[in-house]
Amino acid sequence: MSEADEVQLRHVDLGRPAARSEATEGRGEARTEATARTEATARTEAIEERTGAAEGRTEERTEERTGAEEGRTEERTGATLERTGAAEGRTEERTGATVERTGAAEGRTEERTGATLERTGAGAAARSIPSPDQFKLRRFFVLRPGTLNQAIKDVEALVDEKVDGSVHGIWLMAEVDHWNNEKERLVLITDNSLLVCKYDFVMFTCDQVQRVALNFVDRISHGAFSFPKRSLLQRGGEGVRVFWDRLREPSFTSRWNPFATDFPFITFTSHPVWNASDTFAQLCDVKNFREQLWDAAQKVHAVKPVPGKANGVLVLNQQIQIEAYVGLMSFLGNQNKLGYCMARGNIGF
């Protein structure tokens, strides 16, 4: 072979390894890229799997939590419904009770209204058609508007708090003396005293006050009035007699003296205007007066006993004896109400 051929062969041999190296490198890079792609794909798939698993677990946890919360919500809702039902039941019961009470109250109100209407109608009828008795009652000055209130203020001003104490009650009474004469009186019961006031309802003045210490009161009798067998007098109704010295009896001279005032007792009966209104019915209530007097006297006996006297008040239900036989003066005086402040023309009281 010539030198030129040898040189060409060397060039060919030298060129083949280079080409082989380039091809190998190309194949290596291709493999590297494929491997990188494979690894990236595997990693991506692993990440997706992990993400999917995490999402699955998250969904499971979310569903579980949601289910648990829904269960608790349902339980709470059920409890709330039960409470609401119980509250509605109690509300219905209360409403029913309220309705029953309201109905009962309305029924009582209607009854009271009916009774009031009946009373009003009766009062209106009585006022529209006055009877002779009502005309007679109008003649009493104590029934004039404001008269009684002024009289009560005047007699209350006469109470001595140091001696009498506070006032417990005031009554409008008729005093019946030992000759069966009626006299208009205002009677006060205080802590320590019984005050009997002769009051002029025309001039608004108190003419006389009789004070009886309650710790000396030892007996109270109440019942119908009675007279001796041969007496020409009679009296209806009931009265009350208050005694404060059981050991002292009135003398013969005092019994026959129509103006005597030294008797150890005093007798009351209802005032003629007791049926004028409810107010006067309370003011003239003899039974209430007797009970209040006994209660006040018992308290004073316990606090201020009298030496030498038995403590306590004896209450007797018996006839009240009036020792009067003819009684012409009392007959004329009681028939004409001379012991009361009345409109009677030119005749005095």
Side-chain angles (χ1 to χ4, degrees), residues 105-337:
E106 290 178 354
R108 290 194 298 270
T109 303
E110 289 179 356
E111 292 177 359
R112 292 174 182 173
T113 304
T116 303
L117 290 175
E118 290 179 359
R119 292 176 183 174
T120 305
R127 288 192 296 270
S128 60
I129 306 176
S131 64
D133 293 336
Q134 289 177 339
F135 278 123
K136 292 180 180 179
L137 287 178
R138 291 180 183 179
R139 297 168 58 191
F140 289 91
F141 282 101
V142 71
L143 295 179
R144 302 293 172 92
T147 301
L148 181 62
N149 294 332
Q150 183 61 43
I152 292 175
K153 291 180 181 179
D154 293 339
V155 295
E156 284 182 343
L158 300 176
V159 176
D160 188 351
E161 293 186 358
K162 295 181 180 180
V163 177
D164 304 317
S166 60
V167 178
H168 290 182
I170 300 178
W171 284 265
L172 179 65
M173 295 288 184
E175 179 187 349
V176 182
D177 65 6
H178 60 292
W179 274 43
N180 196 35
N181 294 304
E182 293 183 9
K183 302 173 184 179
E184 193 172 36
R185 295 292 184 262
L186 279 175
V187 184
L188 288 77
I189 297 177
T190 65
D191 291 333
N192 304 317
S193 305
L194 172 68
L195 301 179
V196 182
C197 303
K198 178 183 177 182
Y199 190 84
D200 187 348
F201 291 98
V202 179
M203 302 300 297
F204 294 103
T205 57
C206 186
D207 298 330
Q208 181 183 348
V209 177
Q210 182 180 0
R211 178 178 281 104
V212 179
L214 291 181
N215 57 346
F216 280 87
V217 175
D218 50 28
R219 187 172 31 145
I220 299 174
S221 63
H222 63 93
F225 292 95
S226 65
F227 295 87
K229 292 183 179 179
R230 298 180 181 180
S231 176
L232 301 178
L233 301 175
Q234 60 180 1
R235 171 180 290 278
E238 294 186 356
V240 57
R241 178 170 288 177
V242 182
F243 297 85
W244 55 82
D245 191 354
R246 68 176 65 183
L247 300 178
R248 182 169 63 92
E249 293 292 335
S251 63
F252 178 81
T253 305
S254 297
R255 289 178 180 177
W256 287 96
N257 182 7
F259 304 103
T261 59
D262 58 345
F263 286 85
F265 59 82
I266 189 169
T267 308
F268 299 106
T269 188
S270 298
H271 195 284
V273 299
W274 66 270
N275 59 348
S277 66
D278 294 338
T279 301
F280 282 94
Q282 295 178 359
L283 285 172
C284 304
D285 190 354
V286 177
K287 180 180 178 181
N288 186 23
F289 167 74
R290 184 187 75 234
E291 293 175 352
Q292 295 256 357
L293 178 62
W294 178 83
D295 185 61
Q298 287 287 90
K299 292 180 180 179
V300 176
H301 275 282
V303 177
K304 299 179 180 180
V306 179
K309 293 191 64 174
N311 294 326
V313 181
L314 182 63
V315 179
L316 301 175
N317 184 4
Q318 62 183 11
Q319 291 184 343
I320 298 176
Q321 180 77 15
I322 299 178
E323 295 183 3
Y325 291 89
V326 179
L328 180 61
M329 185 176 67
S330 64
F331 176 79
L332 294 176
N334 294 339
Q335 287 294 323
N336 294 281
K337 306 296 182 187

